[in-house]
Amino acid sequence: MSRSDASMWVGVVSLFPEMFEALTRQGVTGRAVDKGQIALEFWNPRDYATDRHRTVDDRPYGGGPGMLMKVDTLRSAIHDARERAEDATGQRPKVIYLSPQGRQLDQRGAQELAEGPPLVVVAGRYEGIDERVVEADIDEEWSIGDYVLSGGELPAMVLIDAAARLVPGVLGHQDSAVEDSFNDGLLDCPHYTRPEVIDGRRVPDVLLSGHHGAIRRWRLKQSLGRTWLRRPDLLEGRTLDAEQQALLKEFIEEYVP
Ligand SMILES: NC(=O)c1ccc(NCc2ccccc2)nc1
């Protein structure tokens, strides 16, 4: 098959590739796939099973509940995905495994992944995969949070979506990625649209004023204030410029719990 011109190439190793239609057929990522900005290709370990029952799981040494992904079918799928990544992009891929033991994904991590080499994302099922496969075939383990899900597919889609949005040209107008919450590390400001009044609650006048400078400052003040109220940890170790300090001071002085 031919070289890929996609800005972001992702190979997915999963027993349930159809789950990824949420990414490939919908919304921003769906359009980016249609436009060839993002390439998503799939390898299913079950396609490498040679026994009559097409076995893809195996019992854990040492006993205990649950199963692990069968080593040979999993490794064959990862190997083929890696080989295709190199053929399609001319670059060696970064092979990522989603598990609660991984590096926690945040916006900075998503940015790093978006800017990095092509990805092969391995979605585990059952109780996970053999540690020797992690050592031999996985480059980085990532987690989307401190909770256990029934498979790595949803975390894989979260990771791919978070990174894909940051690929230049994928979002409608680029600055929407910039203004997105967690961009420049602050929480998002409140948003409003029609109608002007809902249950007696009005849209803040500044947003109807047409004064773009005042609107920008209001939004920045709200982002700073919300971050101070809801996620003060995000403000730790962060220097605010003079305008930001003044706006946060104003917010705090006006704040009535
Ligand atoms: N928090 C996460 O990112 C995450 C990733 C995968 C997952 N479930 C699949 C799995 C379970 C146990 C061991 C390895 C993989 N649940 C949560």
Side-chain angles (χ1 to χ4, degrees), residues 97-101 124 126-128 142-145 147-152 155:
Y97 176 56
L98 280 305
S99 90
Q101 286 70 44
Y126 314 112
E127 304 311 308
W142 286 76
S143 169
I144 63 165
Y147 37 84
V148 181
L149 301 170
S150 43

Side-chain angles (χ1 to χ4, degrees), residues 5 18 68 90 106 139 184 194 234:
D5 314 342
E18 66 280 358
L68 294 175
D106 58 14
D139 297 312
D184 68 37
R194 291 178 302 176
L234 296 177

Side-chain angles (χ1 to χ4, degrees), residues 66-222:
M67 303 288 275
L68 294 175
M69 293 187 77
K70 195 171 184 304
V71 167
D72 62 345
T73 46
L74 175 62
R75 297 198 80 190
S76 300
I78 295 173
H79 176 271
D80 283 0
R82 185 197 288 275
E83 199 170 72
R84 169 70 184 138
E86 289 171 25
D87 293 348
T89 68
Q91 288 182 289
R92 296 179 72 96
K94 178 186 286 184
V95 184
I96 282 174
Y97 176 56
L98 280 305
S99 90
Q101 286 70 44
R103 169 185 168 183
Q104 177 126 350
L105 180 69
D106 58 14
Q107 197 64 20
R108 189 161 53 84
Q111 190 62 52
E112 288 175 31
L113 294 169
E115 292 164 352
L119 300 175
V120 171
V121 180
V122 179
R125 278 276 156 172
Y126 314 112
E127 304 311 308
I129 69 177
D130 188 296
E131 191 59 18
R132 293 163 297 175
V133 175
V134 176
E135 291 163 3
D137 299 334
I138 303 296
D139 297 312
E140 296 180 1
E141 249 180 297
W142 286 76
S143 169
I144 63 165
D146 290 336
Y147 37 84
V148 181
L149 301 170
S150 43
E153 282 79 10
L154 289 173
M157 284 191 269
V158 165
L159 180 142
I160 294 166
D161 186 290
R165 304 178 71 259
L166 299 173
V167 171
V170 165
L171 276 186
H173 53 105
Q174 193 42 37
D175 59 3
S176 56
V178 174
E179 287 157 8
D180 251 12
S181 79
F182 264 95
N183 260 286
D184 68 37
L186 296 177
L187 298 186
D188 208 4
C189 62
H191 296 286
Y192 300 84
T193 185
R194 291 178 302 176
E196 273 193 36
V197 184
I198 298 175
D199 299 347
R201 298 168 186 274
R202 295 179 34 71
V203 173
D205 290 333
V206 66
L207 298 181
L208 307 173
S209 71
H211 291 304
H212 300 292
I215 291 167
R216 183 194 65 79
R217 281 191 301 282
W218 180 87
R219 286 174 171 162
L220 179 53
K221 178 176 172 178
Q222 293 301 313

